Structures are given as structure tokens and as C-alpha cells.
Amino acid sequence: MTTETPSDPRPSLAALSAPLVERLVADAPVLRLGIERVGGACVVDAGIGHPGGLEAGRRVAELCMGGLGRVAFSPMPGPPPWPFGVTVHSAQPVLACLGSQYAGWSLSHGSGKGAFFALGSGPGRALARQEALFDELDYRDTADAAAFVMEATALPPAELVAHIATTCGIAVDQLTLVLTPTQSLAGTTQVVARVLEVALHKLHALGFPLDRVVDGIGMAPLPPPGGGFLTAMGRTNDAILYGGTVHLHVTGPDDAAEDLARRLPSSTSRDHGRPFAEIFAAAKGDFYAIDSMLFSPAHVTVTAIDSGRSFHGGTLAPDLVERSFRDVR
């Protein structure tokens, strides 16, 4: 497997994540995961027919970052009743978050009641290169194996599995798909572990130069899993929108760092202020009707490392987190 190309010093996401995939599969019995073959590909069930767990979700989150991120469970500041959270760090946040973790590849097959749809995230995206984002990142990976993470509640059809492998240019038996329903323990964990990725995605949407982002760390409270999809989706989003904190280290002038800190938090959105499940219901289930600027952490610190000055924006909303984590839909 190629680790890097001569013209690009950045590492291969596929190579870094390969050992994580191997260990996840090998430890499936311990992690309460299911392993089966669909169309020749290895499919890891992390919450559909097998329970999975928090540790499985933590490992899936690190895999989803292409081996360029570290995810840990940590105590949250403040009093109970939600004392634990997820902390995420990457020394290469742009590549780890936007090049791998971001759910940017839309995958679907069939129509009607039996249709399958999921957004593909993970290191395999850099092999498939089905998004214009990779031209902007100027990044191309090469490998003979690929791994993806999907928030799905059913196994993908063999036809879609074959399409994914073909697009990546690999044999289908070298493809691994990790399925994590949002309402599962693993799914809840790996979604909240996107707190740093959400910040990077909005930073990109705001037009901040990606090459100025040097380092990043984020944390968000770990919500209780279970319930229906709407409950789980609401809680995991609210954990970031109202309970998430991110600290970015950037180069460049102070005024640009200060402007980023002001514009990045979720509080700049017109839809800020209500639990996400309520916002989603008001939009009648249409994600595109929700202000895209909402999807960002509650509180942001941006440090301009050239001057050493730091700027803060946004504020945590523990009351909304509490309301969301107790509400069941």
C-alpha cells in the first residue's frame, strides 16, 4: 500500500487507517460487533443486529478520521447529570476532517420502500474522489483497499457495494463498510466525535483559507443513545450545536482570526436557540430548509499563532443540551 506520493508530503489516509480497520474486525467479538460479507465486501455491523458500544464508536471515529485523529472519552466541565464527553484532536485537521471524516459522498440504490441511502465518510473518499472538495484540497490517495463509515440502519445492497469498489479502483473483497445507526451506542459516539469536523466544514464555507489551519481540538458532551432516529439525530446535533467547544490554531493576521472566532459559532445562525429535533420538524424534515450556518460548535477559540493572541466566540447553552438529552421523540 502506498504511504505517500513523491510530490505530496501528506500521508496516505488509506495506509494510516488500514491497521485500525484490521483491529476493529479482529476485536469484533470483544466490541460486540457483527462481521459479514455483502457482495464480497466486509461489512461491520456496529448497531443494527449487534449492539456495539462506546468503545466501538470511539474506534470507528478514529478510523473515520483516516488515522489522523485521536478520540478519547473525557470528563466534561460543570456539574452532572451529563459528566462525560468526547474529546477529538488532530495535528492535521483539514485532511483528517474534510479529507476523510466529512460525510460527503452521497450513496443510494433503488427507489421506493426498499431504497437504500447513506452518506459515505471515511478514508475511502480520497480514493473515490467523487467530490469537488478533493480538487480544492489538492489531495489524491492511492491504495489497494478502502474503508467507509455510514450512518445506516440496513445493509447496503450488493450492487451498491460493487459500485463503491469500482469507483475506488479496488477489488470488492478489499472494501470494508462500517455501519453505525445514529441511535446506537457506537453511532452516537462517532457522530459527536465530529465536533472538530463540523467546525472545519463551516470554516471552509466561510472562506477561511484551509492552508492556515495548523491544529485543532474539540470536545462535546456524550448524549444518551437510544430512542428513535429523530431523538438520536436531535441529541447528537445538540451536543455539538449547544455543548460543543473547539480550539483552532491558525496562521495569518489577527483580524482574520478574530473574524473567524466571531463568525464560526452556531449562535450566528438564524435557526439557533431551539433543540435540533424541533428545528428539523419545523422544516418538515428538509435539511436544506435549515440554515447551513447552524452546523458548528457552540463555543470557539481561535489562536493566531503568529502573534500568540486568542479570540473567543459563541457561548455554551447547557439548558438546551439538558432539554434535548431528556426529550424523547
Side-chain angles (χ1 to χ4, degrees), residues 97-131:
C97 294
L98 298 184
S100 188
Q101 192 180 24
Y102 172 55
W105 189 15
S106 180
L107 295 164
S108 62
H109 183 270
S111 60
K113 188 176 181 180
F116 178 91
F117 173 79
L119 294 174
S121 60
R125 288 176 48 239
L127 295 177
R129 287 181 60 91
Q130 294 300 291
E131 307 152 54

Side-chain angles (χ1 to χ4, degrees), residues 36-44 161-162 165 171-177:
E36 60 183 286
R37 290 280 170 177
V38 175
C42 176
V43 175
V44 180
V161 169
V172 71
D173 63 356
Q174 296 299 305
L175 175 64
T176 301
L177 303 176

Side-chain angles (χ1 to χ4, degrees), residues 303-315:
T303 296
I305 59 177
D306 294 337
S307 70
R309 295 184 66 196
S310 294
F311 306 94
H312 306 279
T315 184

Side-chain angles (χ1 to χ4, degrees), residues 18-32:
L20 304 183
V21 176
E22 293 172 5
R23 287 197 292 270
L24 188 72
V25 172
D27 292 344
V30 175
L31 297 173
R32 300 190 298 271

Side-chain angles (χ1 to χ4, degrees), residues 10-11 13 64-70 88-102 125 133 137 193-204 208-218 246-251:
R10 292 172 293 181
L13 293 165
C64 202
M65 297 181 79
L68 283 174
R70 295 294 175 264
V88 185
H89 168 255
S90 178
Q92 294 205 31
V94 172
L95 189 55
C97 294
L98 298 184
S100 188
Q101 192 180 24
Y102 172 55
R125 288 176 48 239
L133 177 60
L137 295 175
R194 294 172 185 268
V195 58
L196 182 60
E197 178 258 301
V198 169
L200 267 290
H201 185 257
K202 184 170 178 180
L203 174 149
H204 176 244
F208 190 88
L210 296 178
D211 59 358
R212 291 187 186 173
V213 181
V214 177
D215 215 315
I217 187 169
V246 164
H247 189 170
L248 299 176
H249 303 79
V250 304
T251 59

